Amino acid sequence: MTATTTDLSRLSTPYWQRTRWQTWLLIAVLIGGGVLMLYPFAWLVLSAFKLPADIIRIPPTLWPEEWSLDAFQVVLSHKIGGGSLARSYLNSIFVTITTVIAVLITSTLGGYCFARLRFPLREPLFYFVLSTTMVPFLTLLIPLYVVMDRLELLNTLWVLIVPSIFSSFGIFLCRQFVYGIPLELYDAAKIDGAGDFTIYTRIIVGMMKPVISVLAIFSFRATFNDYLWPLVTITDAGNYTLPLALRGIGNSFGWFDYSKVMASSLLTLIPPLIVFFIFQRNLVKGIALTGIKG
Amino acid sequence: MAVTAGSSPTGAAPVRSWRAWLSQYSWLGMGFAFSLSLFYLVMFVIPFGTAIWLSFNNWDYIQKPVFVNTRNFDKLLGDPGFWNALWTTVRFSAVEIFVALSLALLLALALSHLRPVYQYTLLAIYNLPVIMPGVVSVLLWKWLYRTNGGAFNAILESVGLPAQPFSRSPDQALWCITLMVVWIFLGNSSIVLLAAINEVPDSLLEAAQLDGASAWKRFTAVTLPLIQPAMAYQVVTSIIGTMQMFEPFQLMPGPGHSTRTLSLYTYQLGFEVLNLGYGAAVSIAMFVILLSATLFELQRRRKSWDY
């Protein structure tokens, strides 16, 4: 940047207000970068509509010569072992929604309990929960599999839900947030005779909306995209979640039929895209707000 | 602490003092603490304890585990597979974090000069890959990296450069994965940094400008120290994330063991060759390495952010 000379007229204006051409240059560079980011994504979307002859062309062409929905039709009727893409879709949605709801309840309740309620061993318990995040999942993978085997949960959808019911990160985030809620609100409700649980449902949950949407996205992403844990615990194709079904489709169609792989990938992306566009703004605000900065 | 009230020995019946002790606590809190403890006992304490115990045993999941003392750890120290996996993990993790964080910082700095509306819109584009399941990204990039007729080789050839083997070459496969992972997490890292940069008071930057500080000087002397905590957070979460990353290494492997990381090695030992004891030992080693790396990084950063 060349504009280093002191320009008094600019000093009272916000930081982002540069001279006009600098701003346009910046936007142009950022859009250029954005195009690079979207480039692989464009291949995914456009290839899903290609015919087999089109997809193996050398050199490859980004734009389909003839638009076709064949790949979607094939993929939707394709059997993956004892399951199908549609079945995996339902599995994924069931597992994700159940987990997200569970995480939201336990995290908000946990944040409230750890920040405002009295019970024995409160602080040691909280620091214990926090310290569990230091242990990599890979270390717990083998023994957790054994535990799930003993509980006879292997190969059911519950094996994907149960280990995620409590989230250390979520409890930590919510506790920080509840500390920021004025004590007066809590005391006033207490004087009015409200019990702990009423205060939680009537006051705390309502005030935690910003943190809830951040947590919902994180939890959605972690559950919906999870691959390793389902890979290990689910062997029955009827209980496959979408990442596993995609792997199956990737294995059963070769380069020649790659439009099928891209079509199923595109179908898989619909729920995350919806969630993403609803919550994107909250995500940026939420991260600024959760105090991750310090 | 009012906890001592319960133990006041004023001749009251023990039942009463027990009730007094209990009445100062919240039933909701105790109920929650109980279910939380039960959950972490089954999902964390028992598995973690089992992992440590298993690392001193040999087990193939079928017969009874056999106690072998520290033999698994002795084996680990002399196992080229382990050292190779560790070296691959460290190279991947270090390069990914350095490249992704530098780019994310540039991106966040550039975005911070724009109005919030533009910030959100552009961030949405950069953030798109983050929401994709890892499997989708890998299936997509695997195809783009194809040696014959892949999009990347088509670009190289169109500008007159020789086609590359990419994932088929033991030298390039790891960096192919690294590039993809940078692409996935770039937007996400810059959100945190942007949030921190937006919090840097304009008055400080203006004061520095009045004193004649150049743009570079303002960045290194004002912005960078103030966003140090966000950088530390980003580095630590990236260390944890990259060291444990699994999908790309399993689904887009390079030739031989050129992209076998510690996470893939643990998985293979536990679920492919069924050497659970040794797998547990490798995973414990991974835990120790990750813990030391995180603590080291936090300690190093903390020095520079005590202002």
Side-chain angles (χ1 to χ4, degrees), chain B residues 93-129:
Chain B
S93 185
V95 174
E96 198 280 334
I97 292 173
F98 179 76
V99 175
L101 218 62
S102 312
L103 287 175
L105 187 58
L106 277 178
L107 178 62
L109 276 173
L111 287 172
S112 72
H113 288 270
L114 303 177
R115 279 165 219 280
V117 187
Y118 296 133
Q119 288 185 6
Y120 293 140
T121 318
L122 281 164
L123 256 186
I125 296 173
Y126 282 90
N127 222 344
L128 206 55

Coordinates of all heavy atoms in Angstrom, one line a residue, chain B residues 93-129:
Chain B
S93 N 0.9 -31.3 9.2 CA 0.4 -30.4 10.2 C 1.1 -29.1 10.1 O 0.4 -28.0 10.0 CB 0.5 -31.0 11.6 OG -0.2 -30.3 12.5
A94 N 2.4 -29.1 10.1 CA 3.2 -27.8 10.1 C 2.9 -27.0 8.9 O 2.6 -25.8 9.0 CB 4.6 -28.1 10.3
V95 N 3.0 -27.6 7.7 CA 2.8 -26.9 6.5 C 1.4 -26.4 6.3 O 1.2 -25.3 6.0 CB 3.2 -27.8 5.3 CG1 2.9 -27.1 4.0 CG2 4.7 -28.1 5.3
E96 N 0.4 -27.3 6.7 CA -1.0 -26.9 6.6 C -1.2 -25.7 7.4 O -1.8 -24.7 7.0 CB -1.9 -28.0 7.0 CG -3.3 -27.9 6.5 CD -4.2 -26.9 7.3 OE1 -3.9 -26.8 8.5 OE2 -5.1 -26.4 6.8
I97 N -0.8 -25.7 8.7 CA -1.1 -24.6 9.6 C -0.4 -23.3 9.1 O -1.0 -22.2 9.1 CB -0.6 -25.0 11.0 CG1 -1.5 -26.1 11.6 CG2 -0.7 -23.7 11.9 CD1 -1.1 -26.6 12.9
F98 N 0.9 -23.4 8.7 CA 1.6 -22.2 8.2 C 0.9 -21.6 7.0 O 0.6 -20.4 7.0 CB 3.1 -22.6 7.9 CG 3.8 -21.4 7.4 CD1 4.3 -20.4 8.3 CD2 4.1 -21.2 6.1 CE1 5.0 -19.3 7.9 CE2 4.8 -20.1 5.6 CZ 5.2 -19.2 6.5
V99 N 0.6 -22.4 6.0 CA 0.0 -21.9 4.8 C -1.4 -21.4 5.1 O -1.7 -20.2 4.7 CB 0.0 -23.0 3.7 CG1 -0.8 -22.4 2.5 CG2 1.4 -23.4 3.3
A100 N -2.2 -22.2 5.8 CA -3.6 -21.8 6.0 C -3.7 -20.5 6.8 O -4.5 -19.6 6.6 CB -4.4 -22.9 6.6
L101 N -2.8 -20.4 7.9 CA -2.9 -19.3 8.8 C -2.4 -18.0 8.1 O -3.0 -17.0 8.3 CB -2.1 -19.6 10.0 CG -2.8 -19.0 11.3 CD1 -4.1 -19.7 11.5 CD2 -1.9 -19.2 12.5
S102 N -1.4 -18.1 7.3 CA -0.9 -17.0 6.6 C -2.0 -16.5 5.6 O -2.3 -15.3 5.6 CB 0.4 -17.3 5.7 OG 1.3 -18.0 6.5
L103 N -2.5 -17.4 4.8 CA -3.6 -17.0 3.9 C -4.8 -16.4 4.6 O -5.4 -15.4 4.2 CB -4.0 -18.1 3.0 CG -3.0 -18.6 1.9 CD1 -3.5 -19.8 1.2 CD2 -2.8 -17.4 0.9
A104 N -5.2 -17.1 5.7 CA -6.3 -16.6 6.5 C -6.1 -15.2 7.1 O -7.0 -14.4 7.1 CB -6.7 -17.6 7.6
L105 N -4.9 -15.0 7.5 CA -4.6 -13.6 8.0 C -4.7 -12.6 6.9 O -5.3 -11.5 7.2 CB -3.2 -13.7 8.6 CG -2.8 -12.4 9.4 CD1 -3.7 -12.1 10.6 CD2 -1.3 -12.6 10.0
L106 N -4.1 -12.9 5.8 CA -4.2 -11.9 4.6 C -5.7 -11.7 4.3 O -6.1 -10.5 4.1 CB -3.5 -12.5 3.4 CG -2.0 -12.3 3.3 CD1 -1.5 -13.0 2.1 CD2 -1.6 -10.9 3.3
L107 N -6.4 -12.8 4.2 CA -7.8 -12.7 3.9 C -8.6 -11.8 4.9 O -9.3 -10.9 4.6 CB -8.4 -14.1 3.8 CG -9.9 -14.2 3.5 CD1 -10.2 -13.6 2.1 CD2 -10.4 -15.6 3.5
A108 N -8.3 -12.1 6.2 CA -9.0 -11.4 7.3 C -8.6 -9.9 7.2 O -9.5 -9.0 7.4 CB -8.7 -12.0 8.6
L109 N -7.3 -9.6 7.0 CA -6.9 -8.2 6.9 C -7.6 -7.5 5.8 O -8.1 -6.4 5.9 CB -5.4 -8.2 6.7 CG -4.5 -8.2 8.0 CD1 -3.1 -8.3 7.6 CD2 -4.8 -7.0 8.9
A110 N -7.6 -8.2 4.6 CA -8.3 -7.5 3.4 C -9.8 -7.3 3.7 O -10.3 -6.2 3.5 CB -8.1 -8.4 2.2
L111 N -10.4 -8.3 4.3 CA -11.9 -8.2 4.6 C -12.1 -7.1 5.6 O -13.1 -6.4 5.5 CB -12.4 -9.5 5.1 CG -12.6 -10.6 4.1 CD1 -13.0 -11.9 4.8 CD2 -13.7 -10.3 3.1
S112 N -11.2 -6.9 6.5 CA -11.4 -5.9 7.6 C -11.5 -4.5 7.0 O -12.0 -3.5 7.7 CB -10.3 -6.0 8.7 OG -9.1 -5.4 8.2
H113 N -11.0 -4.3 5.8 CA -11.1 -2.9 5.2 C -12.4 -2.7 4.5 O -12.6 -1.6 4.0 CB -9.9 -2.8 4.2 CG -8.6 -2.6 4.8 ND1 -8.0 -1.4 5.2 CD2 -7.7 -3.6 5.2 CE1 -6.9 -1.6 5.7 NE2 -6.6 -2.9 5.8
L114 N -13.2 -3.7 4.5 CA -14.5 -3.5 3.8 C -15.6 -3.3 4.8 O -15.5 -3.5 6.0 CB -14.8 -4.8 3.0 CG -13.8 -5.1 1.9 CD1 -14.2 -6.4 1.2 CD2 -13.6 -4.0 0.9
R115 N -16.8 -2.8 4.3 CA -18.0 -2.7 5.1 C -18.5 -4.1 5.5 O -18.3 -5.1 4.8 CB -19.1 -2.0 4.3 CG -19.0 -0.5 4.3 CD -19.9 -0.1 3.2 NE -19.2 1.0 2.4 CZ -19.2 2.3 2.9 NH1 -19.8 2.6 4.0 NH2 -18.6 3.2 2.2
P116 N -19.1 -4.2 6.7 CA -19.6 -5.5 7.2 C -20.4 -6.3 6.2 O -20.3 -7.5 6.1 CB -20.4 -5.1 8.4 CG -19.8 -3.9 8.9 CD -19.3 -3.1 7.7
V117 N -21.2 -5.6 5.4 CA -22.1 -6.3 4.4 C -21.2 -7.1 3.4 O -21.4 -8.3 3.2 CB -22.9 -5.3 3.6 CG1 -23.9 -6.1 2.7 CG2 -23.6 -4.4 4.5
Y118 N -20.1 -6.4 2.9 CA -19.2 -7.1 2.0 C -18.5 -8.2 2.7 O -18.2 -9.3 2.2 CB -18.3 -6.1 1.4 CG -18.9 -5.1 0.5 CD1 -18.5 -3.7 0.6 CD2 -19.8 -5.4 -0.5 CE1 -19.1 -2.8 -0.2 CE2 -20.4 -4.5 -1.3 CZ -20.1 -3.1 -1.1 OH -20.6 -2.2 -1.9
Q119 N -18.1 -7.9 4.0 CA -17.4 -9.0 4.7 C -18.2 -10.2 4.8 O -17.6 -11.3 4.5 CB -17.1 -8.5 6.2 CG -16.1 -7.4 6.3 CD -15.8 -7.0 7.7 OE1 -16.3 -7.6 8.7 NE2 -15.0 -5.9 7.9
Y120 N -19.4 -10.1 5.2 CA -20.3 -11.3 5.3 C -20.4 -12.1 4.0 O -20.3 -13.3 3.9 CB -21.6 -11.0 5.9 CG -21.6 -10.5 7.3 CD1 -22.4 -9.5 7.7 CD2 -20.7 -11.1 8.2 CE1 -22.4 -9.0 9.0 CE2 -20.7 -10.7 9.5 CZ -21.5 -9.6 9.9 OH -21.4 -9.2 11.2
T121 N -20.7 -11.3 2.9 CA -20.9 -11.9 1.6 C -19.7 -12.7 1.1 O -19.8 -13.8 0.7 CB -21.3 -10.9 0.6 OG1 -22.2 -9.9 1.2 CG2 -22.0 -11.5 -0.6
L122 N -18.6 -12.0 1.2 CA -17.3 -12.7 0.7 C -17.0 -13.9 1.6 O -16.6 -14.9 1.1 CB -16.2 -11.7 0.7 CG -16.2 -10.7 -0.6 CD1 -15.3 -9.5 -0.4 CD2 -15.8 -11.5 -1.8
L123 N -17.1 -13.7 2.9 CA -16.8 -14.8 3.8 C -17.7 -16.0 3.5 O -17.2 -17.1 3.6 CB -17.1 -14.4 5.3 CG -15.9 -14.1 6.1 CD1 -16.3 -13.8 7.5 CD2 -14.8 -15.2 6.1
A124 N -18.9 -15.8 3.1 CA -19.8 -16.9 2.8 C -19.2 -17.7 1.7 O -19.2 -19.0 1.7 CB -21.2 -16.4 2.4
I125 N -18.6 -17.1 0.7 CA -18.0 -17.8 -0.4 C -16.8 -18.6 0.0 O -16.7 -19.8 -0.2 CB -17.6 -16.8 -1.5 CG1 -18.8 -16.1 -2.1 CG2 -16.8 -17.5 -2.6 CD1 -18.5 -15.1 -3.1
Y126 N -15.9 -17.9 0.8 CA -14.7 -18.6 1.2 C -15.0 -19.7 2.2 O -14.2 -20.6 2.4 CB -13.8 -17.5 1.9 CG -13.0 -16.7 0.9 CD1 -13.5 -15.5 0.4 CD2 -11.8 -17.1 0.4 CE1 -12.8 -14.7 -0.5 CE2 -11.1 -16.3 -0.5 CZ -11.6 -15.2 -1.0 OH -10.9 -14.4 -1.9
N127 N -16.2 -19.6 2.9 CA -16.5 -20.6 3.9 C -17.2 -21.8 3.4 O -17.5 -22.7 4.1 CB -17.4 -19.9 4.9 CG -17.0 -20.2 6.3 OD1 -16.3 -21.2 6.5 ND2 -17.4 -19.5 7.3
L128 N -17.6 -21.7 2.1 CA -18.4 -22.8 1.5 C -17.8 -24.2 1.7 O -18.5 -25.1 2.1 CB -18.7 -22.5 0.1 CG -19.9 -23.1 -0.5 CD1 -21.1 -22.7 0.3 CD2 -20.1 -22.6 -2.0
P129 N -16.5 -24.4 1.4 CA -15.9 -25.7 1.6 C -16.0 -26.3 3.0 O -16.0 -27.5 3.2 CB -14.5 -25.6 1.1 CG -14.4 -24.3 0.4 CD -15.5 -23.4 0.9

